[in-house]
Amino acid sequence: MPGIPEIEGYRKRLDQDTVGQRIRCLDMQRQSGLNVEMERIHDLTLGRLILFVERRGADLIFHLDNGQRLVLRLGQEDELQIDRLEAGPEEEEPTSAASAGKPAFSLRVDSVAVIVAKSRSLQLLLLSAKELDQLQREQGPDPLSRHLTAERFRQRFAKRRSTLKAALMNPALLAGIDSRYADNIAFAAGLPPSVRVDQLQEEDLDRLYLSMIHVLQDAIERQDGDGSAADGSGASYEWGIAGKTGEPCPRCGTPIEEMMIQRKPAYYCPQCQPLPPAVES
Ligand SMILES: [Zn+2]
């Protein structure tokens, strides 16, 4: 299940392995996940050079030498596989993919194949620079963007009437934070996921901001340390409390509890994440 840290791991590998290479094949099974016809995507991408690979929220963005951008959006269950082609560019897809049938997504550059074997919700968008700008203006900033200062973060969150968890996961406020990281960020900040954002003090929002950066950066660094995280094997990075109902809180040992927020489970430590005193509204 890729969140920002896992997607960042993919981005680093793609940046290392595909930049400076030309797109030789591009295919996607699910046509409904495309924003334009595959034919048009082929016309504008085959033979083009990849200049760099960017991440924004959970989007992976390939910048091509003709000004076009290819945006790959993985679904919740999707895993990206990056294989070096040993026999050179003329070689067909590597055996790992071939044996599993036609993959949901495949991108081949000169010496690397990028594959998503199975997916139900994968999206691939071909956008011009202007269209990408437009799309990004409609979305919240990347949580790790250096433009998102503590002050801007406070401004975005101030006076929101939704719960903290819903706000963290709201793509119009912040790009790419999934349920698991939202729970872990709320835990790191010592705030209950159910608290209403407009009841938080300035200092709470500042702590939330720093916790968000810390949790995401820490997960990214732990992946870097091991190097095997982006291959999809990884259940080994389960820091925090998400999904750990009944297990002892890593801080105080109190059993982790579960509550429903917008009909989805949220996890918290009742001791470390007390409800703040109600304020007059
Ligand atoms: Zn605790």
Side-chain angles (χ1 to χ4, degrees):
M1 191 165 68
I4 284 177
E6 293 79 12
I7 300 281
E8 180 60 22
Y10 290 143
R11 187 203 65 79
K12 283 183 187 154
R13 287 194 56 199
L14 290 168
D15 206 53
Q16 221 167 49
D17 291 354
T18 67
V19 165
Q21 299 199 30
R22 290 191 187 276
I23 296 178
R24 301 302 177 189
C25 299
L26 181 59
D27 205 9
M28 175 128 148
Q29 289 292 341
R30 212 175 125 263
Q31 299 291 305
S32 61
L34 302 172
N35 68 327
V36 293
E37 304 253 312
M38 198 65 211
E39 242 181 275
R40 182 168 163 74
I41 295 184
H42 280 156
D43 283 350
L44 288 169
T45 62
L46 293 182
R48 305 316 313 196
L49 203 62
I50 296 175
L51 298 180
F52 65 101
V53 185
E54 182 193 10
R55 180 192 60 75
R56 192 172 191 279
D59 286 353
L60 284 164
I61 306 167
F62 295 85
H63 291 253
L64 309 185
D65 65 344
N66 58 351
Q68 295 290 318
R69 278 82 164 137
L70 265 178
V71 180
L72 184 63
R73 279 188 181 157
L74 298 178
Q76 281 291 299
E77 316 283 322
D78 299 353
E79 286 171 12
L80 200 68
Q81 192 183 321
I82 302 166
D83 295 322
R84 282 178 189 277
L85 302 169
E86 285 169 16
E90 298 312 314
E91 188 62 28
E92 262 310 299
E93 251 120 57
T95 47
S96 48
S99 60
K102 222 169 173 211
F105 169 84
S106 63
L107 163 71
R108 190 156 67 70
V109 296
D110 295 325
S111 66
V112 170
V114 181
I115 287 159
V116 179
K118 275 190 230 158
S119 175
R120 276 176 299 178
S121 53
L122 189 71
Q123 281 184 290
L124 180 68
L125 314 177
L126 179 74
L127 300 170
S128 66
K130 206 174 152 190
E131 289 165 336
L132 183 64
D133 267 2
Q134 183 61 40
L135 181 78
Q136 294 186 337
R137 262 200 295 274
E138 291 160 12
Q139 298 174 339
D142 186 272
L144 297 176
S145 161
R146 62 196 159 82
H147 301 295
L148 183 65
T149 59
E151 195 186 345
R152 287 203 182 148
F153 180 88
R154 273 201 311 271
Q155 286 165 356
R156 297 193 79 79
F157 273 67
K159 302 199 175 72
R160 289 273 156 182
R161 296 173 67 85
S162 62
T163 63
L164 174 58
K165 181 160 185 183
L168 284 169
M169 292 175 66
N170 179 351
L173 279 181
L174 288 171
I177 293 187
D178 64 19
S179 174
R180 184 176 39 138
Y181 283 104
D183 284 336
N184 289 340
I185 290 166
F187 172 68
L191 297 167
S194 58
V195 68
R196 249 175 55 181
V197 175
D198 61 357
Q199 293 182 346
L200 296 176
Q201 308 294 315
E202 208 173 291
E203 67 200 43
D204 294 328
L205 287 173
D206 283 346
R207 206 167 61 248
L208 181 66
Y209 170 76
L210 293 174
S211 299
M212 172 185 79
I213 293 173
H214 175 76
V215 165
L216 296 174
Q217 287 288 12
D218 186 61
I220 288 170
E221 277 159 31
R222 262 179 296 163
Q223 294 194 95
D224 290 349
D226 184 277
S228 69
D231 67 8
S233 66
S236 51
Y237 299 98
E238 290 305 321
W239 179 87
I241 56 153
K244 295 187 178 171
T245 310
E247 290 184 34
C249 165
R251 278 203 191 126
C252 73
T254 305
I256 297 302
E257 292 186 10
E258 186 180 329
M259 66 166 94
M260 297 304 274
I261 295 178
Q262 293 180 327
R263 280 174 282 161
K264 298 218 171 82
Y267 304 90
Y268 70 106
C269 169
Q271 190 68 33
C272 298
Q273 297 165 272
L275 275 170
V279 287
E280 305 290 321
S281 57

